[in-house]
Amino acid sequence: MDGSAGNGECSSEISHAVQCPETALICTTALICTILGETHLVTNGFAKAIVLDERGLELYEGNGDIRGQMITLYRLGSCHRSLGNYKKAIVRFKNVRKIYVNYTASPVRKPLGEDFMEVVLASLGKCYTNVGQNHKAIETHKRCRKLAEARKDSGRLAVAKSCENLGQAYSETGQFNTALDLFQQANLIAKEENCHGLPDEQVQMRNIGHVGLMLFALGQYRTAILQFELAMQQAVS
C-alpha cells in the first residue's frame, strides 16, 4: 500500500468522540470500526478491513464527519487496490478528492497530514495505470506533483516520487524520452536530499533502475548497462 494516510489517526478520533457527547455512541462505534479496520489493513486482511470500513463510513456519513469519511474512503481505496479491484478503488479515491474541497473550505476543521491529498492522488494515478487509462494517470500525477511543489522544502522528496510516478505513466504510453527526463529529475532530487540529511536511498536506487530501463527502450544499450550496474552498486552498498 502506498503512503500511510490515516495511520496514527485513532488517538485524535478518540478526542473527537469525547467532544461529541450528543453523538457519543455513533462516534465510539465508528472509532471501533476504524481501529479494527486499521488492524486488519496492516495485517493484510483486506476483505475484513473493507467490511469494517464500509460500516465506519456509514456512521461517519450519518454523523457528518467529513474528515472521518475521507480517511476511511482512502483506506477502502487502498484495500480494493491491494485486492486488484482497481475500478472500485478509483471510485473511493475520487470520492476523497470530491469531498476534500468542502473540507478545506470549512472554517472549523481538524488537520490532516500535509501530504494527505498527495498520497490519495498518487494511489488514484496508479489505479488509472492499472486499468489502462494512461492519460488520466498522467494528469493525476501532474496534480500530485503540483501539490508537492507547493510545499517547497518539505515536499522535495514528494516531488521526486511524483516525478517517478509520472515517468512510469509516460513509459506506459511509449513516451520514453519524456519518462527518461522525469526519472532523471527524480534521481537528482533524491540525491540532493541525501546530501541535505534527508536520505531516501530507495527512491534514488529505483530511479537509477528506471533510467536504465528507458535507455534500454531507446536502444542506448551500453549506457543502460552502466545504469543497471550503478543500481546494483547502490543496492549492495
Side-chain angles (χ1 to χ4, degrees):
M1 185 178 68
D2 302 293
S4 56
N7 290 345
E9 301 290 344
C10 293
S11 60
S12 60
E13 295 298 335
I14 291 171
S15 298
H16 184 56
V18 172
Q19 294 168 12
C20 302
E22 71 282 2
T23 55
L25 180 59
I26 295 176
C27 290
T28 302
T29 306
L31 174 60
I32 291 170
C33 290
T34 296
I35 294 171
L36 288 174
E38 183 78 11
T39 302
H40 285 299
L41 180 61
V42 298
T43 57
N44 295 331
F46 303 118
K48 291 182 178 179
I50 286 172
V51 172
L52 287 160
D53 278 332
E54 288 287 5
R55 177 56 180 150
L57 180 60
E58 290 177 5
L59 293 167
Y60 285 129
E61 287 175 341
N63 195 36
D65 187 340
I66 296 178
R67 180 175 177 275
Q69 292 173 46
M70 286 191 295
I71 293 169
T72 305
L73 281 166
Y74 169 77
R75 284 212 310 271
L76 281 167
S78 298
C79 287
H80 281 299
R81 181 170 173 245
S82 296
L83 292 171
N85 302 328
Y86 301 121
K87 290 184 178 179
K88 289 184 177 180
I90 286 171
V91 171
R92 302 309 189 278
F93 292 138
K94 287 176 70 175
N95 284 343
V96 177
R97 190 177 62 184
K98 186 186 301 181
I99 65 177
Y100 184 75
V101 176
N102 294 330
Y103 179 79
T104 54
S106 173
V108 180
R109 63 179 187 272
K110 298 177 68 181
L112 284 163
E114 64 177 356
D115 64 342
F116 178 76
M117 275 310 299
E118 294 164 34
V119 173
V120 173
L121 288 174
S123 298
L124 176 59
K126 290 178 180 179
C127 283
Y128 279 135
T129 297
N130 291 136
V131 297
Q133 297 183 28
N134 296 311
H135 176 71
K136 288 185 177 180
I138 288 170
E139 292 305 311
T140 302
H141 287 309
K142 282 182 177 179
R143 284 197 289 270
C144 183
R145 183 176 63 177
K146 187 175 181 179
L147 288 176
E149 288 172 342
R151 291 197 287 122
K152 302 189 183 301
D153 291 345
S154 66
R156 289 285 289 165
L157 282 176
V159 172
K161 292 175 182 177
S162 292
C163 286
E164 179 183 357
N165 290 334
L166 193 51
Q168 290 176 318
Y170 273 113
S171 71
E172 290 290 326
T173 67
Q175 300 181 63
F176 300 124
N177 280 312
T178 302
L180 174 62
D181 181 59
L182 286 160
F183 290 139
Q184 288 173 332
Q185 288 180 45
N187 184 38
L188 178 61
I189 293 170
K191 188 184 296 183
E192 289 174 348
E193 293 305 294
N194 285 347
C195 295
H196 295 157
L198 296 170
D200 197 326
E201 294 177 355
Q202 288 187 349
V203 174
Q204 190 175 350
M205 185 174 66
R206 282 200 311 268
N207 282 283
I208 292 172
H210 290 323
V211 168
L213 288 171
M214 293 305 99
L215 290 169
F216 185 85
L218 291 166
Q220 301 179 36
Y221 304 122
R222 293 182 182 275
T223 312
I225 289 171
L226 294 175
Q227 285 295 127
F228 291 136
E229 289 177 345
L230 181 59
M232 289 295 293
Q233 292 173 11
Q234 188 91 7
V236 299
S237 63

